[in-house]
Amino acid sequence: SIGLSNYKEKDFNELVESNITIQPVVNQFEISPFMYRPSLAEYFQRKGVSVSASKGIGRGECFDKAPIQKLSTKYSKSPAQIMLRWGLQKNFCVVAKTATPSRMRENRSILDYYLEDEDMIILDSLTSKEDVKKRDERELQSKIT
């Protein structure tokens, strides 16, 4: 199997057109309620390539945002659990990096509830076009240097 990292549609098409014999099965890139790129995720899912969420909880930087706090209270779950559950319901592979055993247990405890559709819509709307533009610019800059 082949895994990809930070591939966009154009990158993937170039790879496939190079007549590779082993098809990629996963593409890991930053995706969370605060960096949601639905067209990119849907593109890879349509191609049969799993999406692995890098920074699925955004390093915890967004835990204090009002929508996350409201949903955390509503579901009696931590902000990390809300964000991980969102990714799971989008059919992403979600991984949360932590060295703290209590957080490891907490992060695994996301299978006992579902986020309601209206709450998924709220989480889907947290990424602005400006956020995506800035992320794309950073990715492009890292490829240049």
Side-chain angles (χ1 to χ4, degrees), residues 33 67-68 71 82 86 115 119-127:
I68 299 297
L71 295 176
I82 296 297
W86 171 88
L115 296 170
D119 296 327
M120 290 293 288
I121 291 168
I122 289 167
L123 293 169
D124 289 352
S125 71
L126 297 178
T127 303

Side-chain angles (χ1 to χ4, degrees), residues 36-130:
Y36 184 39
R37 299 177 274 181
S39 60
L40 184 62
E42 291 165 7
Y43 172 82
F44 283 101
Q45 289 172 326
R46 279 193 313 273
K47 296 289 186 181
V49 177
S50 296
V51 172
S52 179
S54 168
K55 300 179 188 169
I57 59 173
R59 297 185 180 140
E61 298 160 347
C62 301
F63 288 175
D64 62 344
K65 302 289 185 190
I68 299 297
Q69 286 296 310
K70 280 182 162 179
L71 295 176
S72 182
T73 299
K74 176 179 177 177
Y75 291 97
S76 299
K77 297 291 183 180
S78 73
Q81 289 172 311
I82 296 297
M83 292 176 70
L84 291 168
R85 183 67 215 187
W86 171 88
L88 194 63
Q89 283 182 225
K90 295 285 185 186
N91 294 316
F92 303 151
C93 302
V94 294
V95 178
K97 182 179 166 187
T98 184
T100 308
S102 62
R103 286 190 181 138
M104 288 178 195
R105 285 187 296 278
E106 176 183 290
N107 292 341
R108 286 193 314 255
S109 184
I110 60 171
L111 301 176
D112 60 342
Y113 73 104
Y114 286 92
L115 296 170
E116 295 173 6
D117 290 344
E118 60 266 18
D119 296 327
M120 290 293 288
I121 291 168
I122 289 167
L123 293 169
D124 289 352
S125 71
L126 297 178
T127 303
S128 72
K129 290 181 181 181
E130 185 64 26

Side-chain angles (χ1 to χ4, degrees), residues 1-7 12 15 22-29 44-45 47-54 91-95:
S1 297
I2 294 176
L4 308 173
S5 179
N6 295 314
Y7 267 57
F12 182 76
L15 180 66
I22 301 172
Q23 294 299 309
V25 296
V26 65
N27 185 19
Q28 182 180 48
F29 55 91
F44 283 101
Q45 289 172 326
K47 296 289 186 181
V49 177
S50 296
V51 172
S52 179
S54 168
N91 294 316
F92 303 151
C93 302
V94 294
V95 178

